[in-house]
């Protein structure tokens, strides 16, 4: 069972996180926390013409939260805000057990093993929830968003 959870791709993203670091200046800056396990994530994004031009994250926590944040940044970079939000919704649905198109999910499918450990689902979704909240605030007209997101109440 643990083999599924810590698949090779998850460990690779944890050991070699992509897009790690503060993005300054950023149009979106969201701090997220999972109080139940102590994971902390800050997600940054620079938006140009409705497209996520740059995205990065900083944080600390378990391998699942950090790898998921790394994978998220790879998937949303270059997407429109609407496409990124739709991807967040599909990822959250996948984590809740809904079937996914394996080709569309790509590397994110590696995180499906987390579903076997319900307490860890919040770890996997933390960065995604933070990005979703940041995009919502940005679209509401807040051009420099610094807010706090939590995966505690979102699933």
């Amino acid at each position: 069972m643990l083999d599924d959870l810590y698949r090779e791709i998850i460990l690779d993203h944890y050991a070699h996180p992509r897009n790690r670091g503060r993005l300054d200046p950023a149009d979106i800056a969201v701090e997220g926390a999972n109080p139940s396990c102590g994971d902390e994530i800050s997600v940054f994004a620079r938006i140009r013409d409705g497209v996520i031009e740059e995205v990065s994250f900083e944080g600390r926590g378990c391998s699942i939260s950090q790898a998921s944040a790394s994978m998220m940044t790879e998937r949303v970079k270059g997407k429109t805000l609407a496409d990124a939000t739709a991807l967040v919704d599909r990822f959250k649905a996948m984590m809740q057990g809904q079937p996914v198109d394996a080709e569309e999910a790509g590397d994110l499918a590696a995180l499906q093993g987390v579903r076997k450990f319900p307490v860890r689902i919040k770890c996997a979704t933390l960065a995604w929830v933070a990005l979703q909240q940041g995009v919502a605030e940005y679209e509401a007209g807040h051009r420099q968003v610094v807010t706090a997101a939590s995966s505690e109440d979102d699933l």
Side-chain angles (χ1 to χ4, degrees):
M1 198 175 226
L2 285 175
D3 288 342
D4 290 338
L5 180 61
Y6 294 107
R7 293 175 63 167
E8 186 174 325
I9 193 160
I10 294 171
L11 293 175
D12 181 57
H13 275 272
Y14 179 65
H16 310 286
R18 283 67 154 181
N19 304 304
R20 188 172 185 92
R22 178 173 288 276
L23 186 62
D24 190 24
D27 297 303
I28 295 173
V30 183
E31 296 176 359
N34 184 351
S36 63
C37 70
D39 293 331
E40 296 176 357
I41 293 281
S42 294
V43 175
F44 309 95
R46 190 173 301 138
I47 312 301
R48 294 290 177 261
D49 300 323
V51 173
I52 298 175
E53 181 181 74
E54 294 290 334
V55 60
S56 66
F57 78 100
E58 291 182 328
R60 62 184 177 95
C62 70
S63 59
I64 297 299
S65 71
Q66 302 302 298
S68 183
S70 173
M71 295 167 81
M72 179 203 71
T73 62
E74 284 197 314
R75 289 297 296 267
V76 301
K77 189 174 183 178
K79 291 200 177 296
T80 65
L81 295 176
D83 287 346
T85 299
L87 179 62
V88 170
D89 288 340
R90 288 193 302 277
F91 180 77
K92 288 168 49 180
M94 178 184 81
M95 297 311 295
Q96 293 171 338
Q98 293 185 18
V100 295
D101 179 283
E103 187 173 321
E104 179 188 14
D107 289 350
L108 296 175
L111 290 166
Q112 289 184 93
V114 173
R115 295 186 310 207
K116 297 175 186 172
F117 306 89
V119 72
R120 304 299 299 275
I121 292 173
K122 292 176 182 175
C123 303
T125 57
L126 179 60
W128 299 79
V129 169
L131 177 67
Q132 186 177 45
Q133 183 173 340
V135 168
E137 293 286 333
Y138 178 83
E139 289 181 325
H142 305 116
R143 293 298 181 231
Q144 174 67 31
V145 180
V146 178
T147 187
S150 173
S151 60
E152 282 293 305
D153 302 321
D154 198 64
L155 293 174

